[in-house]
Amino acid sequence: MSAIHHPGEDLLWDYFRGALAPGLRLSVSTHLDLCPQCRDDLRVFTAIGGALLETTEGVAMSDNALDLALARIERPVDLPEVSPVSPPARRPAFLEGFELPPSLQSAEIRSRYFVAPGVWMAPIALPGEPRAAKTYLMCVKAGMEMPEHTHRGREITVMLQGQYRDHKGLYQRGDFSQCDEADDRHMPIMMGDVDCLCLVAQEAAIIPKTWLGWLLKPIARI
């Protein structure tokens, strides 16, 4: 089943040029694992970049450029120590039975904790992630409804299993959702009879709009 909700071209471009923070980058990468259409779009950026390089005027080299290059090749160089290759990340037992895309199979997924009956979250450790940002897996039992909230920054959700509906439509495996406005009121409702698993990346804490949301916020740590 192909995704019907995708990141915008501006977000894909930022991903292509390496301008996204770690959590957002992981979210786009996960969507790309599941979406042939966006992988094709990314190839367009690559082709455009190659065409721009071909049309760029060359810069004249100095008369001794070749001599300098040969001197560097002949000069002994102290090679940096090569760090041992890290083994694949150990898959937590609570993820058995879930089909994770390649981008998440090597991620450092920490222990899960329960936010409410039928809802758990598992933080993902990402080097260089900003202090206010949060990236995590969230599993919600089928049929549940999440408390309504808005956002202080971008919140990206990539569906990995199950389906949910909100004010923007129905989301299934591979679909990409972005909420980023203070008045973008978001209240996901889990649909069908399969528990939902999603990847969530937040630039900043959410703003609950219900008393239940405020009660759960310290427990959810988001």
Side-chain angles (χ1 to χ4, degrees), residues 1-191:
M1 180 181 297
S2 299
I4 59 173
H5 299 278
H6 310 275
E9 289 184 356
D10 55 342
L11 198 64
L12 275 180
W13 174 247
D14 285 343
Y15 174 86
F16 173 77
R17 64 190 185 93
L20 293 179
L24 301 186
R25 181 170 182 82
L26 178 63
S27 298
V28 175
S29 181
T30 299
H31 174 73
L32 289 170
D33 285 340
L34 301 171
C35 182
Q37 177 180 322
C38 286
R39 291 199 298 271
D40 287 342
D41 290 343
L42 207 62
R43 292 188 188 100
V44 172
F45 290 143
T46 303
I48 292 173
L52 289 174
L53 285 175
E54 290 180 359
T55 58
T56 301
E57 293 185 7
V59 178
M61 300 177 66
S62 61
D63 293 338
N64 64 340
L66 180 59
D67 293 334
L68 291 173
L70 291 174
R72 290 179 181 175
I73 293 173
E74 295 170 358
R75 184 188 310 153
V77 177
D78 294 329
L79 296 176
E81 293 185 6
V82 178
S83 301
V85 177
S86 301
R90 179 177 172 274
R91 184 186 180 95
F94 60 82
L95 287 175
E96 292 301 326
F98 291 109
E99 183 183 350
L100 296 184
S103 57
L104 290 175
Q105 291 176 6
S106 58
E108 184 183 344
I109 302 172
R110 295 180 173 171
S111 299
R112 67 177 175 176
Y113 56 91
F114 282 85
V115 178
V119 182
W120 59 255
M121 300 170 62
I124 298 177
L126 294 172
E129 184 158 65
R131 184 180 180 88
K134 301 286 184 183
T135 304
Y136 51 90
L137 293 178
M138 173 179 276
C139 185
V140 184
K141 190 173 181 59
M144 293 188 66
E145 181 177 305
M146 301 304 292
E148 187 177 31
H149 60 275
T150 58
H151 314 83
R152 292 185 175 91
R154 285 178 289 187
E155 177 191 77
I156 290 175
T157 303
V158 182
M159 286 301 299
L160 304 175
Q161 176 181 291
Q163 55 184 337
Y164 78 86
R165 181 179 295 279
D166 68 3
H167 62 299
K168 294 184 178 181
L170 180 68
Y171 293 82
Q172 303 179 75
R173 180 172 170 82
D175 280 331
F176 187 99
S177 169
Q178 178 173 327
C179 296
D180 54 10
E181 300 176 1
D183 58 350
D184 199 352
R185 300 176 77 94
H186 185 55
M187 188 177 67
I189 301 171
M190 309 306 126
M191 310 295 291

